[in-house]
């Protein structure tokens, strides 16, 4: 019976790829918060989403972790380090050391801290070459979670998100259905009865020819990959002028989800 939940992280936890009717994102953490709130009396649940897209681990630790510590929620989800890992030259061992230091602060005041692994990027252009580095970081996250007794939202093993329909057009963030499946898996991790199976099979798709795939790849590179590289070269972040969603009402989240369903 979790009465309060705080989500800490980057674009994945902010919900990029899962837009609401007002242009702001919903995402797996907001959807998961509704699952938790449904198990409490009306109005007896507090939720805040502190995540901001593009943030590196140290930025999350500086800006979000102190706020989460102050809130001392029954549950905190902590997903951080992914943006560090995909940057050239970063050492997953060193990133994991800083991750553990932040996790120790959170576990000292929160009832439960749930951590997340990275996705399996075998089928993702550009990122598939970082698969070994991501797997190394995932191994550290799991080991750290074991040391602190934290549940693990294992995204690497979530087979259903290997389907391209689980991803937004940018191929870096989940689609609404992808976010929904992660929310359901998060519920399973905490032993909740969830309304659907996150590994439910997708409907069959018509076959796609090599020419269609090449066209898609060229369009994706032009629209998403080139601007992403440009931001990296300029030292900019997609979250430079973004404010965290902060405290949210489960009723408001339900309304926003229903309006785009």
């Amino acid at each position: 019976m979790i009465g309060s939940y705080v989500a800490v992280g980057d674009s994945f936890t902010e919900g990029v790829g899962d837009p609401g009717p007002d242009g702001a994102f919903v995402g797996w953490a907001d959807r998961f918060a509704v699952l938790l709130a449904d198990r409490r009396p009306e109005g007896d649940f507090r939720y805040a989403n502190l995540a901001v897209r593009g943030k590196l681990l140290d930025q999350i630790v500086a800006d979000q972790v102190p706020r989460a510590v102050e809130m001392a929620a029954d549950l905190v989800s902590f997903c951080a380090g992914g943006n560090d890992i995909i940057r050239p030259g970063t050492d997953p061992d060193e990133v994991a050391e800083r991750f553990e230091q932040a996790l120790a602060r959170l576990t000292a005041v929160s009832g439960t801290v749930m951590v997340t692994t990275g996705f399996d990027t075998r089928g993702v252009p550009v990122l598939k070459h970082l698969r070994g580095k991501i797997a190394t970081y995932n191994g550290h996250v799991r080991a750290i979670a074991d040391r602190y007794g934290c549940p693990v939202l294992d995204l690497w093993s979530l087979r259903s998100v290997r389907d391209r329909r689980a991803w937004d057009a940018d191929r870096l963030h989940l689609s609404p259905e992808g976010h929904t499946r992660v929310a359901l898996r998060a519920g399973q991790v905490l032993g909740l009865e969830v309304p659907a199976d996150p590994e439910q099979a997708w409907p069959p798709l018509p076959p796609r020819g090599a020419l269609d795939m090449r066209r898609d790849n060229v369009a994706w590179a032009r629209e998403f990959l080139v601007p992403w590289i440009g931001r990296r070269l300029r030292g900019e972040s997609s979250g430079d002028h973004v404010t965290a969603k902060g405290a949210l009402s489960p009723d408001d989240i339900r309304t926003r989800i229903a309006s785009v369903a």
Side-chain angles (χ1 to χ4, degrees), residues 13-260:
T13 301
E14 183 188 347
V16 174
D18 185 10
D22 54 358
F25 295 106
V26 183
W28 75 269
D30 292 7
R31 292 173 180 270
F32 176 50
V34 170
L35 291 178
L36 295 172
D38 285 344
R39 286 153 176 80
R40 299 287 297 189
E42 186 70 26
D44 188 28
F45 182 80
R46 293 181 294 109
Y47 168 59
N49 190 321
L50 307 180
V52 175
R53 70 198 75 168
K55 296 304 182 183
L56 299 170
L57 175 59
D58 286 347
Q59 294 171 316
I60 292 171
V61 171
D63 299 335
Q64 299 177 36
V65 169
R67 294 174 64 189
V69 168
E70 183 179 351
M71 292 177 182
D74 295 337
L75 173 68
V76 173
S77 60
F78 182 46
C79 180
N83 288 325
D84 298 73
I85 295 301
I86 65 176
R87 294 203 170 198
T90 53
D91 180 358
D93 300 338
E94 189 274 332
V95 176
E97 291 179 2
R98 290 185 280 122
F99 178 92
E100 181 168 4
Q101 293 169 5
L103 184 65
R105 292 174 60 188
L106 290 170
T107 56
V109 297
S110 304
T112 300
V113 181
M114 179 174 65
V115 301
T116 65
T117 70
F119 293 99
D120 186 348
T121 58
R122 73 176 77 181
V124 183
V126 180
L127 295 184
K128 65 183 179 182
H129 303 294
L130 299 173
R131 190 174 182 232
K133 191 175 178 182
I134 294 169
T136 298
Y137 186 63
N138 283 352
H140 280 302
V141 169
R142 280 192 158 280
I144 293 167
D146 285 345
R147 287 197 287 274
Y148 289 84
C150 298
V152 178
L153 176 54
D154 185 4
L155 304 176
W156 185 279
S157 68
L158 187 58
R159 297 185 303 276
S160 63
V161 297
R162 297 172 190 169
D163 188 287
R164 63 187 175 87
R165 286 167 287 184
W167 294 88
D168 187 44
D170 67 3
R171 303 185 184 180
L172 292 174
H173 301 101
L174 294 174
S175 66
E177 178 64 20
H179 278 285
T180 298
R181 290 177 182 246
V182 170
L184 293 169
R185 174 54 64 85
Q188 289 180 334
V189 168
L190 294 187
L192 305 181
E193 291 187 15
V194 295
D197 181 4
E199 294 285 24
Q200 181 178 352
W202 295 83
L205 277 175
R208 300 170 71 232
L211 181 59
D212 292 329
M213 295 176 67
R214 281 198 294 272
R215 283 201 196 101
D216 288 349
N217 288 338
V218 170
W220 168 78
R222 181 175 59 250
E223 186 173 355
F224 298 106
L225 179 60
V226 172
W228 183 81
I229 293 174
R231 288 196 300 273
R232 298 286 81 73
L233 294 175
R234 295 190 297 271
E236 298 175 355
S237 167
S238 57
D240 282 346
H241 306 290
V242 176
T243 302
K245 290 183 280 189
L248 295 172
S249 160
D251 285 340
D252 289 342
I253 297 171
R254 292 187 190 97
T255 300
R256 296 175 71 229
I257 293 173
S259 66
V260 296

